[in-house]
Amino acid sequence: EWLKVKDDTSKNWMDLDNKMTETIAAVRAIGVQWFLIPDDDANKAKCEEMEKVLFSIMNTMVYLINKICFAPNSTECQSFDAEYARTRFMKKFEPKTKAIEDLLEGPFIMGDTLPVYADYLLYACLYDINIFCPGAYDKSAKMSDFMEKFHSYPSPIRRWFKSNESKEGEYIRPPVPHIMELLPEEMGQGDIH
C-alpha cells in the first residue's frame, strides 16, 4: 500500500513542505514523470521484484547500523565495531545477490537498453553497500558489469558522474540543504520517534 503512488502531492520530500515520503514511492513517481517505467507487464513485475529485494537489503543494513551497532544499550556489542557490522551484513547480503543477478538481464534489468527507474534504485543500493562494505559485490560479474555500464552509458547521467557536483555530498542526494536544516526546529532536536 505504501509503495503505491497515490497522486502528485507525495512525490519528493523537497516538494512536500519538508514532509518526507518513502524512497521507492518517490523514485517511482520520478520514473513516471521521466518515462522510466517499463511499458510491458513482465518488465514492470521485474522492477517491482527488484524493489522488494533492494528494500530488504537496505532495511537490513539500516537496522544493523542503527539498532545494533550504534545502540548504546545493545547487548550484542559494547561499542561500534566496523568489522563486526560488515561481517554481519555480508551474511545477510550474500544470499540476496542471486536474486539481484536473476533480475538483471544484462547489464540492466531490461537487458542492454537504457536503464529504468529500478536500475537507479539498484545503483543507489550498490553504491551504499560499496561504501559500507567495499568489494561486497566484486564476486558478481553481473553486478560489477551493471555498475560499470551505469557509469558509462551515453546519457546525461554520465556527464553528471564526471562533474565536480557528483563528487560533493552523496551520490544522488544533494549535499545541501541537509534534511535536519529543513525540519521545523522542534523536530530537528533530540531523538526523532
Side-chain angles (χ1 to χ4, degrees), residues 3-181:
L3 298 177
K4 292 181 183 173
V5 178
K6 302 203 180 11
D7 55 37
D8 288 343
T9 63
S10 63
K11 289 185 176 179
N12 186 312
W13 67 267
M14 293 184 122
D15 296 332
L16 293 173
D17 297 325
N18 303 324
K19 297 175 188 169
M20 293 183 68
T21 190
E22 196 271 335
T23 303
I24 293 173
V27 172
R28 273 189 185 180
I30 292 166
V32 167
Q33 181 178 356
W34 294 101
F35 308 103
L36 297 171
I37 303 288
D39 292 330
D40 61 293
D41 290 338
N43 281 317
K44 281 182 186 175
K46 282 176 64 176
C47 288
E48 290 175 3
E49 190 59 34
M50 181 66 82
E51 288 175 11
K52 292 174 191 173
V53 172
L54 298 177
F55 189 79
S56 173
I57 290 169
M58 295 311 289
N59 274 349
T60 299
M61 189 164 72
V62 169
Y63 174 80
L64 176 68
I65 293 170
N66 292 336
K67 300 296 183 190
I68 296 173
C69 297
F70 284 130
N73 298 325
S74 173
T75 58
E76 297 191 38
C77 58
Q78 298 304 316
S79 62
F80 182 71
D81 179 353
E83 274 313 302
Y84 170 79
R86 289 181 184 112
T87 302
R88 185 147 174 191
F89 173 74
M90 287 304 293
K91 287 178 185 174
K92 302 280 187 180
F93 175 64
E94 286 172 356
K96 303 279 187 189
T97 59
K98 179 162 179 11
I100 293 172
E101 289 172 340
D102 289 347
L103 293 168
L104 286 173
E105 281 189 24
F108 299 122
I109 292 171
M110 289 178 40
D112 196 10
T113 65
L114 291 176
V116 293
Y117 80 99
D119 290 304
Y120 287 86
L121 285 172
L122 177 58
Y123 172 78
C125 182
L126 292 179
Y127 180 94
D128 278 350
I129 288 169
N130 194 52
I131 296 296
F132 183 55
C133 297
Y137 56 83
D138 286 352
K139 294 178 187 174
S140 169
K142 275 191 165 182
M143 284 190 264
S144 296
D145 186 39
F146 167 84
M147 292 299 276
E148 175 59 34
K149 183 73 171 186
F150 200 90
H151 277 275
S152 63
Y153 76 88
S155 78
I157 193 82
R158 183 181 68 189
R159 289 191 298 275
W160 183 83
F161 283 132
K162 292 181 178 183
S163 73
N164 287 333
E165 184 182 30
S166 74
K167 294 163 184 57
E168 298 174 11
E170 302 172 45
Y171 64 102
I172 59 174
R173 297 178 196 139
V176 290
H178 188 276
I179 183 64
M180 297 308 283
E181 294 170 11

